[in-house]
Amino acid sequence: FLWSSGCLLQAWRMENLRLRRERKNTKSLSLKIQRIRLSYPELAYRSFGTTGETLVQLGISLMQSGVCLTYLIFVPQNLHSSALDLFGTNISTSWCLAFMMAVQIPMSWIRDIRRLTVTNLLANVLILYGLLTCLGFALKQMGGMEEDVDVGEEGVDGVGYDYSDSAEGSVGAGPKIAGVDDDDDERPFLQEVLYRFRSLPPFNPTGWFLFMGTSVLLFEGSITLLIPLQEAVQRTSDRRKFPSLYKKVILAIVAFYSFFGITCWMAFGNTVRTVMTTSLPTGQLATSVQ
């Protein structure tokens, strides 16, 4: 992913230098004043002509349509359940979908990403709130506090992980089939975390393909906004810093994703669902995250 991102940024940089040279050497005042945005379709047009531009536009449309359809499925359902739990109001998912479309369609007409700074900041705050809340529930679960989620229930694959010690009493003996009656002496928090980490299976062949698909989905927004973000940077000095900064940000995101996934898996075991928020204990705090 980082290699392909670097190639895209290098292509943008080459075309940007070429465009600046063309403006410098031209005698046309309109070309010097006009700013040509080097978007994905524009880069494809400069490389492969009209055919390349059309294919890139079609690919972006199909990819974004698939992602938006996913949101149109679970966001109205989350709005429906949140309104029911928080306010006791039973709002139809059709009305939630209509409200969502009424807000998102006009916003999709905005062509300059810099005009979405406020909404992006709000989205980042809400995402941070959801992630910290999920981590709080996970750490609370591992700490053995109240409102525990039963990690011994049958999971999505028919097997749940039981983090109690094995019959031999050896730490790190690995996850056991749920329902096995064994002593579960309370361990200190750090020891419990280390024990659960050791108990995780190193490879899950059943969920491998789902993991790969989810990993691709995680970065669809990043790769789509890569060139628009580079294009939106104003100062030339900042534009030179953007590729290295982008790489550091992506690596930090990957590290956090790994930490978040492992922590929640250790906390909820194999019963954790594909949509993480549905694995949280019932309550207004969990509903607000949804």
Side-chain angles (χ1 to χ4, degrees):
F1 176 83
L2 290 176
W3 177 81
S4 60
S5 300
C7 291
L8 287 172
L9 290 175
Q10 184 178 3
W12 178 90
R13 185 165 52 251
M14 293 173 61
E15 287 301 319
N16 185 55
L17 292 174
R18 177 183 173 186
L19 183 60
R20 291 169 60 182
R21 287 195 298 266
E22 290 177 356
R23 286 179 175 176
K24 185 177 180 180
N25 298 328
T26 186
K27 296 181 180 181
S28 174
L29 181 61
S30 60
L31 182 59
K32 290 184 177 181
I33 297 177
Q34 180 185 7
R35 180 182 177 183
I36 300 177
R37 296 192 178 278
L38 295 176
S39 60
Y40 281 114
E42 178 66 23
L43 290 176
Y45 174 77
R46 289 169 173 263
S47 300
F48 305 104
T50 306
T51 302
E53 180 183 18
T54 303
L55 290 176
V56 168
Q57 289 176 337
L58 179 62
I60 293 176
S61 300
L62 291 176
M63 182 178 66
Q64 293 303 304
S65 297
V67 174
C68 290
L69 285 176
T70 305
Y71 294 142
L72 294 178
I73 292 173
F74 74 84
V75 171
Q77 184 62 43
N78 282 344
L79 290 175
H80 167 75
S81 60
S82 298
L84 189 62
D85 293 339
L86 294 177
F87 308 107
T89 304
N90 187 8
I91 304 177
S92 172
T93 53
S94 300
W95 283 107
C96 294
L97 177 61
F99 171 76
M100 179 180 173
M101 298 290 288
V103 174
Q104 286 196 332
I105 289 178
M107 293 185 66
S108 66
W109 297 336
I110 300 176
R111 304 296 298 272
D112 191 349
I113 193 175
R114 289 171 295 182
R115 300 185 182 275
L116 297 175
T117 302
V118 176
T119 55
N120 287 341
L121 178 60
L122 176 61
N124 289 333
V125 171
L126 294 176
I127 290 172
L128 180 62
Y129 166 73
L131 291 175
L132 292 179
T133 304
C134 291
L135 281 177
F137 276 118
L139 295 175
K140 186 177 182 179
Q141 165 67 21
M142 287 190 289
M145 299 175 68
E146 294 181 358
E147 298 183 7
D148 284 350
V149 178
D150 186 5
V151 297
E153 292 180 353
E154 189 170 304
V156 292
D157 296 325
V159 177
Y161 292 141
D162 183 1
Y163 291 105
S164 59
D165 291 337
S166 63
E168 292 78 5
S170 60
V171 176
K176 297 165 51 182
I177 302 300
V180 177
D181 188 14
D182 203 351
D183 294 334
D184 189 13
D185 297 332
E186 291 187 2
R187 289 178 287 266
F189 177 74
L190 292 179
Q191 185 178 353
E192 177 71 14
V193 171
L194 291 175
Y195 175 71
R196 293 190 180 216
F197 180 77
R198 288 176 173 178
S199 300
L200 294 177
F203 180 72
N204 182 11
T206 306
W208 170 251
F209 294 104
L210 178 62
F211 164 76
M212 294 298 297
T214 306
S215 299
V216 173
L217 180 63
L218 287 174
F219 293 100
E220 58 82 22
S222 177
I223 197 66
T224 306
L225 294 176
L226 174 60
I227 295 301
L229 285 174
Q230 171 71 91
E231 186 71 16
V233 179
Q234 290 288 344
R235 293 186 296 183
T236 304
S237 58
D238 293 336
R239 288 191 171 190
R240 296 194 187 100
K241 299 176 183 177
F242 180 81
S244 61
L245 178 63
Y246 179 83
K247 183 180 297 185
K248 294 176 182 177
V249 170
I250 292 299
L251 291 175
I253 291 175
V254 171
F256 179 79
Y257 277 157
S258 302
F259 170 76
F260 183 85
I262 292 175
T263 301
C264 293
W265 193 12
M266 288 191 299
F268 301 107
N270 201 42
T271 59
V272 65
R273 299 183 180 92
T274 304
V275 181
M276 171 63 205
T277 54
T278 59
S279 297
L280 300 178
T282 57
Q284 291 189 351
L285 184 60
T287 302
S288 67
V289 173
Q290 294 179 346

